[in-house]
Amino acid sequence: MAKFRRKTCIILSLFILFIFSLMMGLKMLRPNTTSFGTPFGLDLLPELHLPNAPLGNKADFQKSDRINMERNTKTSKAADMPDTKNSEAADMPVRPPKASEATLEELPPLNYFLHVFYYSWYGNPQFDGKYIHWNHPVLEHWDPRIAKNYPQGRHTPPDDIGSNFYPELGSYSSRDPSVIETHMRQMSSASIGVLALSWYPPDSSDDNGEATDHLVPTIMDKAHKYNLKVTFHIEPYSNRDDQNMHKNVKYIIDKYGNHPAFYRYKTSTGQSLPMFYVYDSYITKPKMWANLLTPSGSQSVRGTPYDGLFIALLVEEKHKYDILQSGFDGIYTYFATNGFTYGSSHQNWANLKSFCDENNLMFIPSVGPGYIDTNIRPWNSQNTRNRINGKYYEVGLSTALQTHPSLISITSFNEWHEGTQIENAVPKRTTNTVYLDYRPHKPSYYLELTRKWSEKYSKERMAYALDQQLPAS
């Protein structure tokens, strides 16, 4: 009788554990509806952060700290466990054998209406004399009361990198031609037609990197080999305004506009125009953008050889009116965290698409496979979105397709710091860290998912393009 009771208790405990896991998985897949006035996640966007906003109650922070502590404890324990099968192999990034790679003729048709955000800011000692970006600093929370509860310092590659996942290519250099070639092949295998290259003006860079404009010619040459196109994702460089934007748009078109890989979008009026994604566009006042993007502006590119399609980042709902006043041609949402901002929340995409249709704007939703950045922002676990073996990605892609968008953008190919990459990742563990990976699937799983949905999008877009007067090819 005691044995029967013990078995019953075990079965009941397993059932309760299964229900709890299922509920947590569903929560990660689609976060609860929240008020988008000042979501906690907007703390990552300092321009939108209100210094005097309430910080939340103490219990919330204690709960968050406890979750992080438990996660770190589990990670540490897992790292100490021996791998009886092959402990050395788990620590080494694995490159796929050359023989398994498809030839150019075997790669799928590309979908030039599917764009992916691409970063060329990584470096290592072999090619750059030092590690760049893989040694990303651990970012402190702006509130000292919270910051003191979390580690500080920098990551120390190659085993300790600023990412929760580990690349199949290891801590690579974006300068390495073989890495660039591998990336172009992977994008092509996923039926992605356009990479949106993160770009700073010459001699400028992000806070943690170095100038990368000199890499553009090689990237474009390698992209052309795989019939890929390159568009530019203009970052918020120092003192960005209408005058230097005019200068930089002119620079890009003059220097790269004649390259066969330079992307142009054919509009419904028959024009073929360059496209520029403008990250953090909301930082600059609409009047200043209007100087560049409206026909009467003092720095106007309209009707000149430097005209193009300029796509603004929409974060808050109110930004759509600023975007109209600024003279932008469309909006994108960038963030891979459903519920993080108004723009990145799947439930708002249908309304945003209607707004764009009413105002002759392009709508470009940004879809990501997941989000996790706790290796560089250890205090930001509330914005983690579990990949759920690809289900999170597929829900986002399905929601995007339902809006019949002009284009779809993917966040991202290789933003490893925020865990949004679809690039190949492999299992790896070190003494202190167990990196996340794509198991039980292959390292190429998210490229394969992208190819599946790219083909679906291509077919569906052809069906609705005529009704919306969109270019069909």
Side-chain angles (χ1 to χ4, degrees):
M1 191 67 181
K3 184 177 181 181
F4 174 78
R5 283 199 300 270
R6 187 163 57 251
K7 290 178 69 176
T8 302
C9 289
I10 292 172
I11 292 171
L12 183 59
S13 298
L14 289 173
F15 178 75
I16 293 171
L17 181 61
F18 169 76
I19 294 298
F20 178 77
S21 300
L22 181 62
M23 291 176 66
M24 290 300 294
L26 290 173
K27 182 178 180 182
M28 282 293 191
L29 183 62
R30 181 169 183 174
N32 294 332
T33 301
T34 60
S35 170
F36 292 99
T38 53
F40 189 88
L42 286 184
D43 294 335
L44 299 184
L45 305 170
E47 295 77 14
L48 299 179
H49 177 60
L50 300 177
N52 298 322
L55 293 170
N57 60 51
K58 184 176 180 180
D60 290 339
F61 292 127
Q62 289 175 338
K63 181 180 178 182
S64 177
D65 292 345
R66 187 174 66 254
I67 292 171
N68 283 331
M69 188 179 301
E70 291 171 356
R71 179 182 295 162
N72 293 336
T73 301
K74 291 176 183 177
T75 299
S76 177
K77 288 180 178 178
D80 293 336
M81 293 175 63
D83 183 349
T84 56
K85 292 184 179 180
N86 192 343
S87 60
E88 292 182 2
D91 289 340
M92 295 295 292
V94 181
R95 292 177 184 254
K98 293 286 184 181
S100 68
E101 292 183 349
T103 65
L104 280 172
E105 292 75 18
E106 295 171 330
L107 292 170
L110 302 184
N111 182 350
Y112 294 102
F113 302 112
L114 184 64
H115 299 185
V116 67
F117 295 110
Y118 181 69
Y119 295 86
S120 60
W121 55 26
Y122 301 103
N124 63 25
Q126 180 183 355
F127 285 89
D128 307 272
K130 59 183 177 181
Y131 285 107
I132 305 172
H133 263 274
W134 299 117
N135 63 341
H136 201 288
V138 178
L139 302 176
E140 289 188 34
H141 197 280
W142 50 88
D143 185 336
R145 292 171 295 174
I146 301 174
K148 67 180 181 181
N149 297 318
Y150 295 98
Q152 300 178 10
R154 299 186 74 94
H155 290 280
T156 55
D159 289 334
D160 171 29
I161 65 172
S163 172
N164 292 74
F165 292 85
Y166 203 86
E168 183 179 63
L169 298 178
S171 47
Y172 57 75
S173 169
S174 297
R175 187 195 297 261
D176 183 348
S178 68
V179 166
I180 299 173
E181 175 122 7
T182 299
H183 286 171
M184 300 304 125
R185 179 179 287 274
Q186 287 187 8
M187 289 182 213
S188 183
S189 74
S191 191
I192 295 168
V194 180
L195 62 106
L197 177 63
S198 171
W199 187 84
Y200 286 86
D203 302 322
S204 300
S205 69
D206 67 283
D207 293 340
N208 298 293
E210 296 187 356
T212 58
D213 178 65
H214 64 284
L215 300 178
V216 175
T218 304
I219 291 170
M220 296 189 81
D221 287 346
K222 295 292 187 183
H224 181 55
K225 179 178 177 180
Y226 292 90
N227 297 315
L228 293 159
K229 302 296 181 184
V230 179
T231 192
F232 289 79
H233 191 194
I234 300 179
E235 300 282 0
Y237 55 83
S238 179
N239 299 316
R240 188 176 66 185
D241 61 20
D242 53 336
Q243 295 186 38
N244 55 47
M245 270 292 290
H246 188 285
K247 175 183 175 182
N248 287 319
V249 167
K250 184 177 185 298
Y251 170 86
I252 290 171
I253 293 175
D254 284 346
K255 186 164 185 178
Y256 306 121
N258 290 326
H259 195 287
F262 188 79
Y263 176 69
R264 284 183 169 84
Y265 180 89
K266 187 176 181 181
T267 68
S268 57
T269 61
Q271 291 179 287
S272 292
L273 296 175
M275 178 175 286
F276 301 95
Y277 291 92
V278 185
Y279 190 71
D280 278 359
S281 50
Y282 58 85
I283 296 175
T284 304
K285 298 297 183 184
K287 286 185 179 180
M288 188 168 288
W289 283 125
N291 286 336
L292 179 75
L293 302 177
T294 61
S296 61
S298 59
Q299 301 291 325
S300 181
V301 296
R302 300 308 188 189
T304 76
Y306 306 106
D307 204 349
L309 298 170
F310 294 83
I311 312 300
L313 173 62
L314 184 139
V315 177
E316 295 184 325
E317 183 177 14
K318 67 180 182 181
H319 288 161
K320 61 188 183 183
Y321 304 108
D322 293 339
I323 288 167
L324 274 181
Q325 184 182 346
S326 299
F328 281 99
D329 301 283
I331 67 171
Y332 74 116
T333 60
Y334 187 76
F335 298 105
T337 303
N338 181 17
F340 172 47
T341 70
Y342 179 88
S344 71
S345 300
H346 300 168
Q347 65 186 17
N348 298 321
W349 287 355
N351 287 337
L352 284 173
K353 177 57 164 59
S354 296
F355 176 84
C356 288
D357 288 347
E358 292 166 4
N359 293 282
N360 197 30
L361 296 173
M362 299 177 71
F363 176 60
I364 309 177
S366 303
V367 180
Y371 186 96
I372 183 167
D373 65 357
T374 52
N375 254 16
I376 63 166
R377 298 184 186 100
W379 38 265
N380 193 40
S381 59
Q382 74 280 353
N383 278 317
T384 295
R385 296 293 181 269
N386 195 307
R387 294 188 174 220
I388 322 177
N389 292 327
K391 289 183 175 61
Y392 180 87
Y393 193 33
E394 295 200 87
V395 166
L397 286 162
S398 176
T399 307
L401 260 64
Q402 290 171 25
T403 68
H404 294 177
S406 307
L407 302 167
I408 292 177
S409 55
I410 296 170
T411 307
S412 63
F413 181 80
N414 64 338
E415 221 295 13
W416 288 92
H417 304 310
E418 296 181 345
T420 64
Q421 79 289 334
I422 60 172
E423 183 184 353
N424 291 10
V426 291
K428 181 178 175 67
R429 77 161 184 269
T430 69
T431 303
N432 300 314
T433 306
V434 176
Y435 288 92
L436 301 175
D437 56 69
Y438 304 159
R439 290 180 295 184
H441 303 288
K442 297 184 294 183
S444 60
Y445 179 59
Y446 287 91
L447 298 174
E448 294 168 4
L449 278 183
T450 303
R451 174 175 177 171
K452 165 187 160 183
W453 282 90
S454 175
E455 292 170 351
K456 181 177 175 62
Y457 176 41
S458 183
K459 292 176 183 177
E460 292 192 9
R461 195 182 187 284
M462 288 182 66
Y464 66 71
L466 291 178
D467 292 338
Q468 294 189 15
Q469 295 184 326
L470 293 174
S473 61

